[in-house]
Structure formats: C-alpha cells, structure tokens
Amino acid sequence: ASMQLLSTLVLHHHSLAHEFVQNEGLQMMVQHRLLSVDLARYDSSVTKEDGGAGMVVDALLVISQLSRLSKEYYPMLHRMDVGANLRDLLGCDNAAVRAKACNAIGNMARHSSAFYEAIQHAALLPQLIPLCADIDSSCRKFASFAVGNCAFHSDLLYPGLAPAIPQLLQLLEDKDEKTRANAAGAIGNLVRNSGELCGIMLEN
C-alpha cells in the first residue's frame, strides 16, 4: 500500500515527484529491489493483497512518470541502471507488469535519445519487440509506443528494431485505436532518420 501511495503522489503532483527524487526515493526503490522479476512473481495469496506484482507495477509507474515529466530526472534514472531489470520484467508472466515495463521504456525514450545506448546495452529490444504481438491488448499498445520512441530521435537502434516491422504492420489492423496509432507512428519513425530500413519496409 505504501508503494501505491508513493506512485499515486508522483503521478499526480509534480512538486511531490521532485521531492521524491530529492529525498532519494529512487535509491530506495533500488535498495528494496522493487523492479525485481522475483518480486513480481511473489505469490499474492501470501499477503492477501496484490502481491509483488502490484509493487513492481507501482515502481514502474514512478519510472514512467519521472521519465515523462522532464529530462532533468534522466541522470538519476541512469544511475539506477535498471536495464537488466526491465529486460526481465518484459518476460514476466504478469501482463500488467509486461505492459508497464513497455510503457517505462517508451517514456524513457520520450524526450531524447539519452537512453538509447542503455537500451542497446541491456538488450531490451529482443524482449520488447515480440510484445507487439502479445495476447494482451495493453502490452501491444505500450510495446508499439516504446518501439516508436526508440526510433524517433536517431537511427542508432534501427538495426535492432528492424524485426518489429512485420508486427507493426499487423498492428495497423489491431482492434484498439491507440495501438493502431502507435504502430503507424512507429513505422513512420523507422524511416524518419535514415533510409536504412526502407528496403525492409518495401519487402513487407
């Protein structure tokens, strides 16, 4: 419940988000392993609450919101070094965790290419791209959002994003309007910064 309260405050009050960071809230999240896939798999029946998955979702919401709010939080988020955690969470059995991990990556790539090298180094794309075809609608929506932002600022990640093209094209017919929009935007971003992927686009 305490993590849920913190995530709610960060989500809805910009000044409190700043206070959270200034008072080492991000370090607390690291120390307590709140982005651990083991925590996400913790049996909720033990606590009779939302279990570990709920705490991980709240922690991911904090990462997403801080990334979305301002680039000023990027240095602190970089120091958290959460790439490996995000990679593992993308493969979590819990769909809500997978979706929020996708959303966090998308927001980390929202304002600039600052996290592109970290995304590449942590090998996130091979885990992210298949989620564009996930059985869960929210996963597809946020995975396509993340792919689009990973392609927006430069062509650094284009080679790793190339396998997403067939799935993005299929998402143009998804039932969810926002997912279709995300997929269309991502396809445009994959030719925005260079013609490297134009041939693959034509083949598909």
Side-chain angles (χ1 to χ4, degrees):
S2 58
M3 193 60 218
Q4 186 176 31
L5 174 61
L6 283 173
S7 69
T8 300
L9 292 174
V10 169
L11 280 169
H12 297 291
H13 302 278
H14 293 188
S15 60
L16 292 177
H18 183 75
E19 290 294 320
F20 176 81
V21 173
Q22 291 299 111
N23 287 282
E24 302 188 345
L26 292 175
Q27 291 89 325
M28 175 274 295
M29 287 170 52
V30 172
Q31 290 168 4
H32 291 277
R33 295 174 53 81
L34 295 181
L35 293 171
S36 165
V37 72
D38 290 332
L39 177 59
R41 292 169 177 158
Y42 186 71
D43 187 357
S44 61
S45 65
V46 175
T47 60
K48 302 186 184 303
E49 295 176 356
D50 198 15
M55 287 186 279
V56 172
V57 164
D58 286 326
L60 287 167
L61 286 170
V62 170
I63 299 294
S64 286
Q65 178 67 353
L66 293 176
S67 300
R68 190 182 71 81
L69 281 177
S70 174
K71 291 190 291 186
E72 75 173 281
Y73 299 122
Y74 280 9
M76 291 75 89
L77 292 168
H78 262 299
R79 286 196 290 273
M80 290 181 72
D81 193 22
V82 296
N85 292 116
L86 289 172
R87 184 182 63 240
D88 291 342
L89 292 174
L90 290 172
C92 183
D93 293 338
N94 188 296
V97 171
R98 295 197 305 275
K100 292 300 185 290
C102 290
N103 193 33
I105 294 167
N107 279 316
M108 288 167 70
R110 186 186 188 96
H111 295 295
S112 76
S113 62
F115 287 99
Y116 279 12
E117 289 187 6
I119 288 169
Q120 188 176 54
H121 180 72
L124 293 182
L125 298 182
Q127 286 289 104
L128 172 66
I129 290 169
L131 298 184
C132 289
D134 197 275
I135 59 171
D136 183 79
S137 176
S138 292
C139 286
R140 296 195 303 274
K141 177 174 68 176
F142 289 122
S144 54
F145 164 68
V147 167
N149 281 358
C150 285
F152 184 80
H153 301 286
S154 81
D155 62 357
L156 176 67
L157 299 178
Y158 276 15
L161 291 169
I165 292 173
Q167 295 175 13
L168 291 172
L169 291 171
Q170 290 183 2
L171 286 181
L172 294 176
E173 300 179 1
D174 194 89
K175 294 179 180 179
D176 181 71
E177 180 180 359
K178 183 60 176 176
T179 301
R180 295 196 302 272
N182 287 346
I187 290 168
N189 291 345
L190 286 168
V191 295
R192 167 187 168 89
N193 298 296
S194 78
E196 181 178 351
L197 300 180
C198 288
I200 299 174
M201 288 282 189
L202 293 173
E203 288 174 7
N204 285 274

